[in-house]
Amino acid sequence: MLHQLRSHIEKIIPLSDDEFEFISSCFTYKKYRKHQFLVQEGETVPYNYFVLKGLLKLVYTDETGKEHIIGFAMEDWWETDFPAYYQQTLATMSLECLEDTEVLCLQLDDYKKLCAHLPKLEHFFLEKAYMGFITAQQRTISMMTTGIKERYDQLLKKYPSLVQRVPKSLLAAYLGVSRETLSRLPL
């Protein structure tokens, strides 16, 4: 399982065995079952999660009780309620398993220790953050400027394996439409 993390990091920066040994000492392995929560709204967020196996959904629930899917996370993706994790506040979102899931967990103190002792790992996390910001901005623009068919096609093109694993009702919620609207599309 740790080889998966090393391979993921080395797509951006090279690591020596000693560096990776230090990195791996900062992570904890956990397993969760389908429908279990890694993060629940109103609770503290102890970890940033690197997904080894499985599928997660990040959800914001508004004051009317309506769920808004912020994102999904599958193998080799990082996910958590980032504002709550970095600011050490209570979660405003929930992170739930859509499949049995295995993750590596990184506490904020360990994240800071890694960045302080290995500047190139700070570079790695910065690159991951850039990609996350880019993806979020592209999604925002897409939600404001394109129709549902285009948004679905963009999702299918960018994440074909995700579309195969996520129920249509959740895909519809992520795309901002009803399940019925998504079903009527000529897919």
Side-chain angles (χ1 to χ4, degrees), residues 68-83:
H68 302 272
I69 298 179
I70 305 304
F72 298 102
M74 58 185 172
E75 292 82 8
D76 285 345
W77 292 14
W78 296 83
E79 193 62 88
T80 195
D81 178 333
F82 287 106

Side-chain angles (χ1 to χ4, degrees), residues 32-50:
Y32 295 89
R33 289 186 310 280
K34 184 176 181 177
H35 302 302
Q36 271 191 291
F37 287 88
L38 286 73
V39 172
Q40 286 193 278
E41 181 183 347
E43 295 183 359
T44 59
V45 180
Y47 302 112
N48 186 0
Y49 300 93
F50 175 69

Side-chain angles (χ1 to χ4, degrees), residues 8-114:
H8 177 73
I9 294 170
E10 287 184 329
K11 290 176 185 169
I12 296 175
I13 59 166
L15 295 172
S16 70
D17 289 343
D18 287 342
E19 288 171 331
F20 186 68
E21 186 176 323
F22 175 62
I23 291 167
S24 62
S25 73
C26 293
F27 283 83
T28 305
Y29 169 82
K30 293 189 182 238
K31 272 177 107 166
Y32 295 89
R33 289 186 310 280
K34 184 176 181 177
H35 302 302
Q36 271 191 291
F37 287 88
L38 286 73
V39 172
Q40 286 193 278
E41 181 183 347
E43 295 183 359
T44 59
V45 180
Y47 302 112
N48 186 0
Y49 300 93
F50 175 69
V51 181
L52 296 167
K53 179 181 178 217
L55 182 62
L56 304 168
K57 71 172 179 175
L58 185 64
V59 175
Y60 173 78
T61 305
D62 67 23
E63 60 281 347
T64 68
K66 181 179 179 186
E67 288 189 349
H68 302 272
I69 298 179
I70 305 304
F72 298 102
M74 58 185 172
E75 292 82 8
D76 285 345
W77 292 14
W78 296 83
E79 193 62 88
T80 195
D81 178 333
F82 287 106
Y85 173 76
Y86 286 112
Q87 298 169 355
Q88 294 294 277
T89 57
L90 298 180
T92 59
M93 295 178 267
S94 298
L95 185 60
E96 181 183 1
C97 297
L98 295 176
E99 299 173 356
D100 290 347
T101 300
E102 298 175 29
V103 292
L104 291 174
C105 310
L106 181 62
Q107 290 183 327
L108 185 61
D109 287 343
D110 286 326
Y111 165 81
K112 289 178 180 178
K113 179 172 76 172
L114 286 171

